Amino acid sequence: MKHKPLFIVISAPSGCGKSTLIDMLLEEYHDIGYSISCTTREPRGTEENGIDYHFLSRERFEDLVREGAFMEHAEVHGNYYGTLKAPIVEVLNEGHSIILDIDVQGAAKVREYVRSLPNNNPLKIGYMDVFILPPSMEELRERLEKRGTDSPATIEKRMADAEGEIARQGEYMYKVTNDDLGMCYKRLCDLIDAVSGRM
Ligand code: ADP
Ligand code: 5GP
């Protein structure tokens, strides 16, 4: 049976398990793609152009802004980041779904953009946004510490940011708490299946 192609926007405070959950979804759902952002920052480590990001010059990025190619864009630590409209529309028109992993502020801009579209636009028809919640602030801190990728100062910053992000959870259509990973993943899959009519 054919199901509705979805434009799935997912946000979560850092350390909640968003990347883990998205990787699990992409592994299982071969018809769900991942939206690759554009950035003007330099690639780090093993990052590859067209996989981790589309790495663009400032000039090229600014041209694309002028052309209206971005659904949203922002300047973070002196570099531009943005989500292109065209690749997302293309995936949906092919009948596939796409996940956009974006912070609360970026998600708000995307939501505003989608709201401005006519009701018959595939982006609007397939739109859903999900906020992933930590079971508690103590557990969030523990996950950040166990992950071992952030300095104590960065962990403090992420914990402070998390408060503000969690305060905006009401902006999202759906909320899923990542308590037990397997159970949270199951709830996320059930939600996606129900919204797309995949049952
Ligand atoms: P995010 O992408 O939201 O920053 P990650 O996917 O990197 O978060 O997860 C943060 C850490 O927490 C990782 O070490 C991950 O293995 C772990 N983790 C994710 N989900 C759970 C869970 N439900 N229970 C315990 N640990 C988890
Ligand atoms: P990094 O350079 O570490 O990969 O990302 C830095 C920041 O840019 C992160 O907070 C990340 O969420 C944000 N970011 C990545 N892609 C996008 C995007 O497409 N749009 C916006 N607004 N922010 C992004």
Side-chain angles (χ1 to χ4, degrees):
M1 196 183 88
K2 260 182 88 76
H3 49 259
K4 183 166 78 170
L6 298 179
F7 175 31
I8 308 164
V9 176
I10 301 192
S11 306
S14 179
C16 265
K18 183 180 56 168
S19 312
T20 306
L21 288 161
I22 291 177
D23 287 349
M24 289 165 81
L25 280 173
L26 296 176
E27 178 97 0
E28 183 171 349
Y29 290 72
H30 295 287
D31 61 335
I32 301 186
Y34 184 75
S35 169
I36 301 162
S37 297
C38 295
T39 183
T40 58
R41 80 153 164 76
E42 293 294 319
R44 288 195 290 248
T46 58
E47 284 182 338
E48 280 184 58
N49 188 33
I51 294 182
D52 300 286
Y53 279 106
H54 298 295
F55 293 100
L56 307 178
S57 68
R58 245 184 132 77
E59 294 68 35
R60 177 78 186 119
F61 197 104
E62 284 167 356
D63 281 346
L64 288 168
V65 171
R66 274 190 291 274
E67 289 166 21
F70 290 108
M71 192 176 291
E72 65 77 40
H73 69 280
E75 195 166 353
V76 185
H77 310 308
N79 287 303
Y80 289 132
Y81 292 82
T83 309
L84 288 171
K85 294 174 193 169
I88 295 177
V89 170
E90 207 173 292
V91 168
L92 293 177
N93 284 341
E94 284 167 0
H96 301 306
S97 297
I98 190 154
I99 291 183
L100 173 62
D101 166 356
I102 195 162
D103 69 313
V104 173
Q105 287 179 44
K109 287 194 210 165
V110 169
R111 198 176 293 120
E112 205 173 300
Y113 169 72
V114 171
R115 273 205 192 117
S116 75
L117 296 169
N119 287 339
N120 63 355
N121 187 292
L123 275 180
K124 194 163 187 170
I125 295 171
Y127 180 81
M128 67 184 283
D129 54 31
V130 187
F131 191 83
I132 312 284
L133 282 156
S136 66
M137 296 311 276
E138 293 72 33
E139 174 69 22
L140 178 62
R141 182 182 290 278
E142 215 165 280
R143 284 185 197 168
L144 285 167
E145 284 168 357
K146 275 200 196 140
R147 185 169 68 178
T149 53
D150 302 311
S151 67
T154 305
I155 290 179
E156 288 316 315
K157 164 100 176 52
R158 294 205 191 283
M159 289 300 297
D161 289 347
E163 301 268 0
E165 288 157 359
I166 291 170
R168 294 182 66 175
Q169 59 173 291
E171 295 173 24
Y172 289 74
M173 296 162 86
Y174 304 101
K175 279 150 278 207
V176 181
T177 301
N178 185 15
D179 36 23
D180 174 79
L181 181 61
M183 274 159 51
C184 176
Y185 177 64
K186 167 94 173 51
R187 287 195 293 269
L188 194 56
C189 292
D190 287 350
L191 181 60
I192 289 172
D193 292 346
V195 178
S196 67
R198 205 186 274 264
M199 336 289 273

